[in-house]
Amino acid sequence: MTSAFTWINPDQRDFYLDAIDTALEKGMAAKEVVCSITTGFRNVPSIRTAPGLNPYHASVADVGYGFDAVRGTILRLREGESISHAKNMLVFELDTLRISEKQLTPNFELAVKDAKPDVFYLIEQSRYLNRQIAEAIKEAISLGQAFLGPDWEIIRAKIQNIQAIPRL
């Protein structure tokens, strides 16, 4: 594997990478379902014209891209690819997921603001799935912080200016 992780026992490194990947896999499953539900929202007249639907759908897609990015980096590391700045990539990708997750709830609530009672079940199911996505991201970040220790905050401080660019 990459020289970026020589400071840690390979078994411990693999443990953390596997745990992060597993957390994101759970979040990805919830994201896939919520994405299907929100696509269906376009067929519900009381939600179709809601002002937050497109930003919410974009936020869900943004989270999906983030999941793919982290999981892709982990896969590349598992396959032994030497990635310069691998730690930086992992922090950037996980922390960007944190930012994306913060957009889900406000955009969702805007999208369903004037929904009719006949779709409340779908709305509650989506809220539940959004919480699962958030929990998976928080778990993955917590594991990343434990994995990288003090390097996490040092790297995060360096990348904050890049992340200040508007996301949507």
Side-chain angles (χ1 to χ4, degrees):
M1 243 180 239
T2 182
S3 61
F5 301 111
T6 56
W7 49 269
I8 192 167
N9 174 308
D11 290 335
Q12 193 173 12
R13 176 198 58 221
D14 292 343
F15 167 81
Y16 278 110
L17 292 177
D18 290 345
I20 291 168
D21 191 47
T22 299
L24 294 180
E25 188 175 345
K26 290 185 280 185
M28 184 66 116
K31 193 251 0 146
E32 290 297 324
V33 175
V34 87
C35 193
S36 295
I37 292 172
T38 59
T39 299
F41 280 174
R42 293 180 178 155
N43 296 323
V44 178
S46 65
I47 296 177
R48 182 174 51 226
T49 58
L53 183 57
N54 287 336
Y56 174 66
H57 197 74
S59 295
V60 172
D62 204 26
V63 166
Y65 297 139
F67 284 154
D68 289 344
V70 177
R71 296 186 79 206
T73 296
I74 289 172
L75 179 64
R76 290 170 58 198
L77 291 169
R78 282 184 182 151
E79 291 176 348
E81 186 174 336
S82 179
I83 302 173
S84 64
H85 306 293
K87 287 184 194 179
N88 296 35
M89 285 178 62
L90 203 54
V91 173
F92 179 80
E93 291 166 351
L94 285 169
D95 199 55
T96 300
L97 263 174
R98 177 190 59 82
I99 294 168
S100 298
E101 181 272 324
K102 288 186 178 299
Q103 298 173 8
L104 283 176
T105 298
N107 285 337
F108 179 76
E109 294 306 324
L110 185 60
V112 300
K113 182 179 176 189
D114 297 320
K116 304 291 185 249
D118 61 332
V119 294
F120 283 174
Y121 172 76
L122 288 175
I123 291 169
E124 286 308 310
Q125 188 63 34
S126 294
R127 280 190 183 113
Y128 170 75
L129 292 165
N130 285 337
R131 285 191 300 273
Q132 283 191 319
I133 292 167
E135 288 171 16
I137 291 170
K138 288 174 184 165
E139 180 182 350
I141 289 170
S142 179
L143 288 161
Q145 290 169 329
F147 177 43
L148 297 176
D151 284 350
W152 176 274
E153 283 306 319
I154 293 167
I155 294 168
R156 195 170 139 337
K158 290 179 188 176
I159 63 170
Q160 280 182 313
N161 289 339
I162 298 168
Q163 291 177 317
I165 299 167
R167 311 263 311 139
L168 292 176

